[in-house]
Amino acid sequence: RAWWTRWGADASAAAAALVIEMTPEEALRLVQGVGWQGYDVGPGWYGGNVLGVPRLELPGLHMQDASQGYRTMFDPQVGTVTAWPSLLALASTWDVSLAAAYGRYIGAEFRSKGATVLLGPSLNVHRVPRGGRNAEYLSGEEPGLGAAMASALVGGVQSTGVVAVAKHFALNQQETDRDSTDVYVDERALWEVYYPPFVAAVEAGVASVMCSYNKINGSHACGARGLLLRDLRGRLGFEGWVM
């Protein structure tokens, strides 16, 4: 049985019960990251770190990149990880069973290194031919392919007890000026072209979604109520957490 079942019959009930038991100081541990000083991460930390609450046996989060394998952060880690094919290479196989196996194997490697959150898969449908992260995006140019592969890969990763993170929601199509690019798109294009891989990931039970760097129709994605509340929470029914 999962550790949290003593707090509630389902995850939502357990989370509510845990929050009630926390002191304000303990609750604050869950909404801030640790381990980084500027652009440098301290020895022994992961790419992202959230402290747990030992008194309540609530574990911390150890988040690590991602889509081609465990990202080495320190010299002693070099040579100790698997260099997996890119997600675009995986997509080119059109093999859903292979995507599921990829997820299981990469999830197992992350878990063996103490990581509890894999910061992937990346699911954006290609729009800019020279997009700097196109090789990282599982969908290629085809949302239907991305949906099928995303569902399988997410299921594979999370079968190992490691959290998958669907990213970048949404429309993170290029790296150049990614923090200031404003993408204007209508509802039909969103739902027919750019959302399907994320819809499939949510339906597969993905635990977390990462919002994107860019603006969408004038608003930064990570602060866009229409994107995150209306579409992701409301229409897609996503119940996990957004980072």
Side-chain angles (χ1 to χ4, degrees):
R1 296 176 62 188
W3 67 270
W4 50 263
T5 53
R6 71 185 182 92
W7 292 97
D10 57 44
S12 295
L18 278 164
V19 170
I20 291 173
E21 291 294 322
M22 290 178 195
T23 66
E25 292 75 17
E26 288 171 336
L28 285 172
R29 293 164 68 95
L30 305 183
V31 293
Q32 59 184 328
V34 297
W36 285 85
Q37 296 180 344
Y39 288 97
D40 298 317
V41 64
W45 294 102
Y46 293 83
N49 311 273
V50 175
L51 297 176
V53 182
R55 182 179 68 84
L56 301 176
E57 300 181 3
L58 178 65
L61 295 176
H62 303 154
M63 298 172 273
Q64 195 72 9
D65 289 318
S67 297
Q68 281 187 247
Y70 189 95
R71 178 183 178 183
T72 55
M73 306 288 289
F74 314 104
D75 288 345
Q77 295 176 330
V78 175
T80 70
V81 303
T82 304
W84 296 88
S86 72
L87 290 190
L88 185 57
L90 176 63
S92 72
T93 68
W94 293 67
D95 189 332
V96 173
S97 63
L98 185 60
Y102 185 110
R104 291 193 300 272
Y105 293 138
I106 198 171
E109 182 169 2
F110 271 58
R111 182 160 185 164
S112 73
K113 294 183 178 299
T116 56
V117 180
L118 188 156
L119 297 172
S122 305
L123 301 177
N124 295 90
V125 176
H126 291 185
R127 178 66 178 84
V128 178
R130 291 187 292 180
R133 300 179 78 165
N134 280 359
E136 186 182 341
Y137 289 149
L138 181 62
S139 301
E141 296 177 301
E142 172 50 55
L145 171 63
M149 300 293 272
S151 179
L153 198 150
V154 165
V157 170
Q158 295 193 164
S159 72
T160 69
V162 173
V163 168
V165 180
K167 66 183 188 183
H168 302 88
F169 191 71
L171 301 166
N172 196 149
Q173 316 302 139
Q174 67 181 53
E175 286 299 280
T176 302
D177 298 324
R178 70 180 186 180
D179 294 319
S180 57
T181 297
D182 198 350
V183 183
Y184 283 85
V185 61
D186 63 22
E187 285 279 299
R188 182 174 180 181
L190 281 173
W191 288 98
E192 292 186 2
V193 180
Y194 299 108
Y195 279 0
F198 293 95
V199 172
V202 170
E203 291 175 348
V206 72
S208 183
V209 169
M210 186 184 297
C211 50
S212 57
Y213 301 93
N214 49 282
K215 296 179 181 179
I216 299 174
N217 295 332
S219 299
H220 279 286
C222 289
R225 294 180 61 87
L227 181 76
L228 300 180
L229 295 181
R230 182 195 64 208
D231 292 351
L232 183 60
R233 293 287 191 202
R235 297 175 178 174
L236 272 68
F238 178 64
E239 297 182 348
W241 88 88
V242 177
M243 66 170 72

